[in-house]
Structure formats: C-alpha cells, structure tokens
Amino acid sequence: MGLFSNSYFVLFLIIVIGFIIGRIKVKGISLDVSAVIFVALVFGHYGMQIPKDFQYLGLVLFIFTIGIQAGPSFFESFKKNGRELALLSAILIGSSGLIAFIVFYFLGIDKNLVIGLLNGALTSTPGLAAAIDTTGSPLASIGYGIGYPFGVIGVILFVSFLPRILRVNLKEEEEKYNRELSAGFPEINRKHFIVENDNVIGKTYGELNIRFMTKAVISRIVHNNVVIAPEPEIVFHRGDVVKAVGTAEALERVKLLIGSETQQEIPPLDTNFDIRSILVTNKDVVKKTLGQLNLLETYHATVTRIRRSGINISPSPSTKLQFGDKLIVVCHKTNMRHVSRIFGDDTSKLSNTDFLPIGVGIILGILVGKLSINFNSFSFSLGLTGGILLVALILGRTGKTGPVMWTMTGAANQLLRQFGLLFFLAAVGTSAGSSMVATFQEFGLELFAYGILITLVPMIITTVIATTFFKLNMLTLLGTLTGSMTSTPGLAAVDNLVDTDAPSVAYATVYPIAMVLLIIVVQILSLL
C-alpha cells in the first residue's frame, strides 16, 4: 500500500485508468474524460484520497479558461437569448425546489435534511453554505452528502446520453450554431465594376473615401490594362475596372457609386505589388482600429479582409483588431515588410503563454468571490466558482488592458482547461466515493431515491420545455442544463463532446442566475 498512500501517484493513476476506460466505446458511446470521476469514486471508496488543494487548483484553472474563452461571445449571447436561458434556469431551480417541498411536506422527511439534499442534488456549495447558515442544523450537511454523489454522476450521464436519446447529431448542431454565429457576419464576396459614373471620374481614390461610403474595400484597379493597388492619389478614369470586396449590401453601394458590374477578369497585380496573409501578434495594435493605423496613407496598404475564429469579416476603419486575426493585405513589395512588422506576423507568439495575466485574473476572481452582499435575512456572495467565472468573462471580453493581454491562444486554453479538469474530477470523485456507501447504509435507499428525483426530474422538465417551446440548439441546451445545475463536471463532459464554445457560453449565462435562485429557494423552504 506504500504507493497508494502517495496522493500524487494515486492522482495520476486515476487519470491514466480514467483515460483508458473513457476511450472504450460501446455502440459508439464512450465516457471520454468523464470516466475519470467514476474511477475516482472507486478509489475513494477504498480509502484513497486526493487532497482538496488539487480540487480547488483544478477548479480555478478550469473555470478561468472557460470564462476567458466564452467572454468575447457571452455578452452578445446574453443580449440575444439571455431571457430565454434565464427562464429555463428558473424553471429547473423552481421544479427542484418544488420536489424538495413535496419530499419534506408530504413524505415526512426532516426539512433541514431535505434542504441539504436539494443542494447536494444540484452540487451547489454556495447553496450548502446558505443552507447551513439558514438552518443551523448538521442535517443540511448530511443531506448534501447524500445527494451530492448522484448530483455529480447523474448530470454527467444525463448530458452525455441526452443527444442520443433525442437522436440529435451534435456535429450537425455545431454546424447550425456556427451558421447562426456567422449570420452576424454576412458572407464576403468579390465583384468587378466599370468606372462609368461622372461623379467619380477625375477624382482621386483618397477624395472619394469609398470605404467609408460603401463599407466595401477596393483591392485592385485596372487602368490602361495595368493592374495597380489602390493608393490615395490614384485618379479614376472612365472605363477603369475596379475589384471590390465586401458584403452584398456593400457591393451594391459600390455599384451605385462607381458604375455597372462586369464579368471581365482582372489580371494579377503588377510584379511590384504583393498580396500577403499577415497574423496580428503585436500586442501594441490589439484593440486598435484599422483607421487609427492609417495604413493607406502611410504605406499605401489595403486590408481586404479579416479572418477571425473561422469567420471572414469585411474590414472597415472602425474594425478593432484582435490577437490572432489573419489579415489579407495588398501593398507595394517595398512596404510589405513594414506593414508585416506593424502587425507582428510571428506565428511563434501564437503558441506562447504568459502566466502573469492568468495569475492576476485568478487572484481577482478569488477576491470578487469573497465579496458579500448583505440583505435583511441573508447574505450572498459569488463564491470561488462564481467570482472567477465573472472576472474571466469580463477579462475575456476586454481582451487587453494596457500591455497586458488577458486572452490566450486556443491551444494554451485547451491545455490548461484539460489539466484543471482532470485534477478537479479526480479530487471530487475520491471525496464523494469515500462516504457514498456508508451514507447509503445509514440512510437507506429512500433518501438516495429522492436525491435522484431532485437531480433528474427538473432536467427532464427543462429539456421538454426547451425543445418543445424554445426550439433551443442542443449545444446551448446542454450548457443551460449544466449551468442551472451548477455542475462543473457536467460542463466538462459536454465540453469534451464538441468543438465550439456554445455550451460554455450558455453555462456562463445561467450559472450566476441559478446560484442566486437556489439561495432564494433555500430561504423560502427554511421558512415553510
């Protein structure tokens, strides 16, 4: 048993066995990384424990990286369907509170025990703290211990198997979500136009300010069969051919301004000009607009499109640059080197990770989580998870403060998230496993059954309402369920099923709402 008394050895043994079991597929279904918690339950039952410090270390890393990734799209998502998600969260918390009320009022189970059971079934530590503070009874902690194991396992199993039960293809849901996301960024097209309008003939490119007037970008101009890049002093002549890049609406405005569309092909640029893809890796230009950089006036360079998170964006003077943006730039070869230096264009920086912002962000999150808001009858604080999640969302949205970059590359984010998740699942599993059998023997099957009902029935009700009345995307629904259940392991299970941030965004949207609602439900139940 010498090796098994070493918590580090046990930790990585649980992770390794969990990964091996998680990769086993039965009829196309596998537990994936969630298998770690089931292995940990077994180890915990036999007395092997992972220190709580690993649980909290894993939790803060996992939640922080989730918030940083979800931050840029969280606030837009909240504006778009925040009310719907908040209502679904209220339905889930309300129905779980109703079941808890039925259990103690009609079935004669001690109220304090049931309040703890409710928080355990929803795996809510802040809710437990409120329950202990409100009831002043040790039965709340015992109830929490009864409901917690299935609260963890039940949510993981439910969200893992729900897509198959409803016969939903997650890949198709991902594509649908990405299409909806792309709808906010209309497709970028290219068209050629003949200069015919008398109002533009004889005027320079700089005088017309075409980008401002049409929201399209002129990438090439053909004059006397010579292809040139647009520069402020170039004069438009009748019969010139212009290549424009932009949305359908922007290109229609170019047509009204310049002249009719033509199918005439434009030959390659003059050999003195170059077209290059340039990466934004220079922190000094992040959050600056293209207009502030004044590339056209300074270097006669034009950014014709921006590729960001797999989406093509039509650039405008007001477009703010983000770290990792890929720009298509047209300019004279002699200036391309200077333009490249301005943006950075250093692929190695995409793989670098600065731990200073991560450390500062987590410290801020812990401090915010400790802030307490006092009401007449109870006090409320976000707690460790809520504080770190809120701060990470704000920092992810902010992107940069002075020289500090809060965002991180996708690869770095994924590595830290997986690292934190494995530690968290292993520690939570051994903790729950140590008391699961003993608790079951002491309180019997009945209380476990009630805990299972409080965990599963609200999720089933919410799923039926979400799919019937709201027609919610499955990815958003899974994130809403895990967030409303305040289940980090559940989110982890979902996060490993898909390659998009839809579940994380939904989780981040409803988590604080669910936490507040649950505390209110605890207060109400304690008064009944």
Side-chain angles (χ1 to χ4, degrees):
M1 288 293 291
L3 280 175
F4 289 100
S5 64
N6 185 319
S7 59
Y8 301 103
F9 176 79
V10 173
L11 171 64
F12 286 100
L13 183 60
I14 290 171
I15 291 171
V16 169
I17 296 174
F19 264 104
I20 293 171
I21 294 175
R23 291 178 180 179
I24 298 173
K25 289 190 176 183
V26 179
K27 293 185 178 180
I29 300 173
S30 67
L31 291 173
D32 202 66
V33 73
S34 303
V36 171
I37 197 168
F38 295 103
V39 174
L41 284 168
V42 176
F43 273 71
H45 170 63
Y46 287 103
M48 287 166 271
Q49 291 291 305
I50 304 300
K52 282 281 186 181
D53 287 345
F54 284 105
Q55 177 180 328
Y56 294 125
L57 172 62
L59 178 65
V60 298
L61 287 176
F62 180 75
I63 291 297
F64 184 76
T65 50
I66 284 287
I68 288 292
Q69 184 193 38
S73 51
F74 165 76
F75 295 95
E76 283 74 13
S77 173
F78 193 85
K79 291 176 187 176
K80 182 182 176 183
N81 53 12
R83 289 182 181 178
E84 290 182 1
L85 301 187
L87 177 59
L88 289 172
S89 181
I91 290 169
L92 190 147
I93 298 297
S95 57
S96 63
L98 179 61
I99 295 170
F101 171 75
I102 292 171
V103 168
F104 85 77
Y105 194 82
F106 292 102
L107 301 178
I109 306 298
D110 185 275
K111 180 173 65 176
N112 296 330
L113 192 63
V114 172
I115 289 175
L117 189 67
L118 168 66
N119 287 285
L122 271 63
T123 64
S124 174
T125 306
L128 173 63
I132 293 171
D133 183 55
T134 303
T135 64
S137 170
L139 289 176
S141 297
I142 294 172
Y144 182 87
I146 297 169
Y148 185 82
F150 189 81
V152 173
I153 300 166
V155 176
I156 290 174
L157 293 175
F158 187 87
V159 297
S160 296
F161 289 102
L162 183 62
R164 288 191 173 268
I165 294 171
L166 298 181
R167 296 181 180 178
V168 174
N169 187 313
L170 288 181
K171 287 297 178 185
E172 291 179 1
E173 290 295 287
E174 267 189 70
E175 291 172 3
K176 181 181 175 183
Y177 175 78
N178 289 331
R179 284 197 301 270
E180 291 173 356
L181 195 64
S182 299
F185 301 96
E187 185 180 355
I188 307 300
N189 299 306
R190 294 171 293 177
K191 288 186 178 180
H192 301 155
F193 301 93
I194 300 176
V195 177
E196 297 173 330
N197 192 334
D198 291 334
N199 293 324
V200 302
I201 294 171
K203 291 188 176 180
T204 65
Y205 177 69
E207 288 175 328
L208 291 173
N209 202 2
I210 294 175
R211 183 180 293 188
F212 176 79
M213 293 178 66
T214 67
K215 309 303 181 189
V217 176
I218 303 300
S219 63
R220 302 180 202 175
I221 300 170
V222 180
H223 176 65
N224 291 335
N225 293 323
V226 177
V227 183
I228 52 178
E231 296 182 359
E233 63 274 10
I234 287 177
V235 177
F236 285 102
H237 300 85
R238 186 179 297 277
D240 286 353
V241 177
V242 171
K243 181 178 182 179
V245 179
T247 64
E249 290 183 2
L251 294 177
E252 191 61 31
R253 287 191 285 266
V254 174
K255 182 178 179 180
L256 293 173
L257 178 67
I258 301 291
S260 61
E261 184 182 346
T262 177
Q263 299 302 317
Q264 177 182 334
E265 288 297 322
I266 292 183
L269 271 172
D270 185 289
T271 53
N272 291 320
F273 288 88
D274 197 6
I275 303 175
R276 271 188 60 186
S277 173
I278 294 177
L279 282 171
V280 177
T281 57
N282 181 4
K283 294 180 181 180
D284 293 335
V285 300
V286 172
K287 288 191 72 177
K288 286 188 176 180
T289 65
L290 287 174
Q292 286 176 303
L293 298 178
N294 202 15
L295 297 173
L296 186 62
E297 295 287 341
T298 309
Y299 299 105
H300 295 170
T302 302
V303 178
T304 61
R305 74 176 63 192
I306 299 172
R307 182 85 172 167
R308 178 181 297 164
S309 301
I311 298 172
N312 286 322
I313 300 173
S314 181
S316 70
S318 61
T319 300
K320 285 188 176 182
L321 296 170
Q322 292 185 13
F323 189 81
D325 281 351
K326 184 180 288 186
L327 315 179
I328 303 300
V329 179
V330 180
C331 77
H332 201 279
K333 284 184 176 180
T334 56
N335 290 331
M336 186 63 80
R337 181 168 50 87
H338 301 292
V339 174
S340 178
R341 189 183 298 124
I342 288 173
F343 292 113
D345 199 29
D346 185 353
T347 54
S348 66
K349 287 189 177 180
L350 290 178
S351 58
N352 291 343
T353 302
D354 187 354
F355 278 88
L356 175 63
I358 297 171
V360 171
I362 290 173
I363 289 171
L364 290 174
I366 294 170
L367 293 175
V368 169
K370 287 187 174 296
L371 295 176
S372 180
I373 301 173
N374 296 310
F375 296 94
N376 291 331
S377 58
F378 68 99
S379 62
F380 168 75
S381 66
L382 287 172
L384 181 65
T385 302
I388 290 175
L389 180 60
L390 177 62
V391 168
L393 286 169
I394 294 171
L395 295 180
R397 170 69 172 177
T398 304
K400 179 188 174 189
T401 305
V404 179
M405 287 283 301
W406 301 111
T407 55
M408 62 182 83
T409 64
N413 187 295
Q414 189 62 34
L415 178 63
L416 282 177
R417 185 188 308 185
Q418 191 86 335
F419 179 79
L421 171 62
L422 293 171
F423 278 23
F424 176 72
L425 292 180
V428 166
T430 55
S431 176
S434 63
S435 58
M436 187 167 62
V437 173
T439 307
F440 174 75
Q441 290 173 341
E442 182 177 351
F443 292 97
L445 181 63
E446 185 182 6
L447 283 180
F448 265 101
Y450 295 148
I452 290 170
L453 286 176
I454 295 173
T455 297
L456 289 182
V457 173
M459 287 196 291
I460 293 170
I461 293 171
T462 306
T463 298
V464 171
I465 293 173
T467 54
T468 305
F469 298 104
F470 294 100
K471 308 296 182 185
L472 216 59
N473 184 293
M474 178 55 68
L475 307 182
T476 302
L477 172 59
L478 294 175
T480 303
L481 290 174
T482 55
S484 299
M485 296 293 292
T486 67
S487 174
T488 304
L491 174 63
V494 175
D495 193 51
N496 279 276
L497 294 175
V498 298
D499 295 321
T500 178
D501 66 351
S504 301
V505 171
Y507 176 94
T509 302
V510 301
Y511 178 87
I513 297 169
M515 195 161 50
V516 173
L517 290 175
L518 183 57
I519 291 174
I520 292 172
V521 168
V522 167
Q523 299 292 326
I524 293 171
L525 289 175
S526 65
L527 295 173
L528 295 176

